[in-house]
Amino acid sequence: MRKIFPFLAFIFIISIMLTGCHKKTVTLADDTWYIVDNNWILMLCEEAEQENYKGLVSQLKGNGDVLKTVIEQFQGMERDAKTENALGVAYLRLRRFDDAERHLKAALDLSVTEEEKACALTNLSECCLYQDKIDEVDRYAEEAYEKDISDPVKRLILDSNMLKKRYLNSEISYKQVIKTAKKLIKQEKNY
């Protein structure tokens, strides 16, 4: 009996180690940088140099009072593509479309990286959709989609936004949307 207990304990420990070694590590995407709006998924540029940037970005999901406070704080920061884009998103969420468009165009002008351009273009597309500027919606959405983005989550968002645009323009049927959406969901599971 004394020899069996250590043997069973040893087998138990080995089986726990083997089971633990085959677990797939799941990492969740930080959703701070994405806001689901009525039509598109809005994108924010990640990590600016300014202090408190991420904290302010996370507050962009808040209500009107919070958004007004965030706008005041962003206006006090050094202007670059990331802060202009964030200001544009804040105004877009408040449905102040002229202000949103002005800041998003400034973000596009100040953009250096493809990611910054894709974020500004995606958000401009949503802003123009609210204003019924259909030609601009298409142009901005397509330009964003064509950007070379290596981040798989941002790429997935661009794909899903383009799918929605194609459906809104009656370029594809709802059956094609469902089929393509299933493919996107499978892709997302791989990230």
Side-chain angles (χ1 to χ4, degrees):
M1 185 72 158
R2 287 184 180 200
K3 290 183 180 180
I4 294 177
F5 181 74
F7 177 74
L8 290 175
F10 177 75
I11 296 297
F12 180 72
I13 291 170
I14 294 296
S15 63
I16 289 175
M17 290 174 63
L18 290 175
T19 309
C21 291
H22 288 51
K23 285 186 178 178
K24 184 177 178 182
T25 304
V26 176
T27 55
L28 300 175
D30 183 356
D31 73 344
T32 303
W33 313 109
Y34 315 103
I35 299 173
V36 178
D37 202 44
N38 289 354
N39 299 295
W40 279 195
I41 299 173
L42 304 175
M43 295 194 310
L44 293 142
C45 303
E46 295 183 27
E47 297 300 328
E49 299 295 321
Q50 286 95 343
E51 201 173 311
N52 300 328
Y53 176 77
K54 185 174 182 179
L56 290 174
V57 164
S58 67
Q59 293 178 43
L60 288 174
K61 295 179 182 185
N63 64 24
D65 293 334
V66 171
L67 289 170
K68 290 173 186 172
T69 302
V70 170
I71 287 170
E72 289 174 13
Q73 292 178 6
F74 270 125
Q75 287 175 335
M77 297 173 84
E78 180 183 330
R79 297 296 173 90
D80 62 10
K82 295 172 183 181
T83 55
E84 288 290 343
N85 185 58
L87 276 164
V89 168
Y91 282 117
L92 182 58
R93 298 227 36 253
L94 289 171
R95 306 304 186 236
R96 291 176 49 186
F97 303 120
D98 291 336
D99 292 329
E101 187 173 7
R102 186 178 76 252
H103 284 284
L104 293 169
K105 284 182 176 179
L108 187 57
D109 290 342
L110 293 169
S111 294
V112 176
T113 67
E114 293 290 290
E115 179 187 305
E116 290 172 344
K117 291 174 186 174
C119 289
L121 288 164
T122 294
N123 300 335
L124 264 168
S125 182
E126 171 84 350
C127 185
C128 290
L129 188 58
Y130 279 112
Q131 299 174 76
D132 293 323
K133 298 178 180 179
I134 301 304
D135 291 339
E136 290 181 53
V137 170
D138 292 345
R139 182 170 51 96
Y140 290 136
E142 288 170 16
E143 280 184 55
Y145 182 75
E146 291 170 4
K147 296 298 176 196
D148 184 24
I149 304 298
S150 59
D151 181 323
V153 177
K154 282 193 175 16
R155 180 82 261 156
L156 186 64
I157 289 170
L158 292 172
D159 291 344
S160 66
N161 286 349
M162 182 57 70
L163 180 63
K164 176 81 181 261
K165 181 201 86 70
R166 291 177 62 209
Y167 178 70
L168 289 174
N169 289 352
S170 301
E171 296 170 28
I172 58 175
S173 70
Y174 74 91
K175 288 179 182 179
Q176 290 172 306
V177 169
I178 292 169
K179 184 179 177 181
T180 307
K182 285 180 180 179
K183 287 179 186 176
L184 291 176
I185 290 168
K186 285 180 183 176
Q187 281 179 327
E188 187 269 337
K189 287 181 180 178
N190 293 328
Y191 296 137

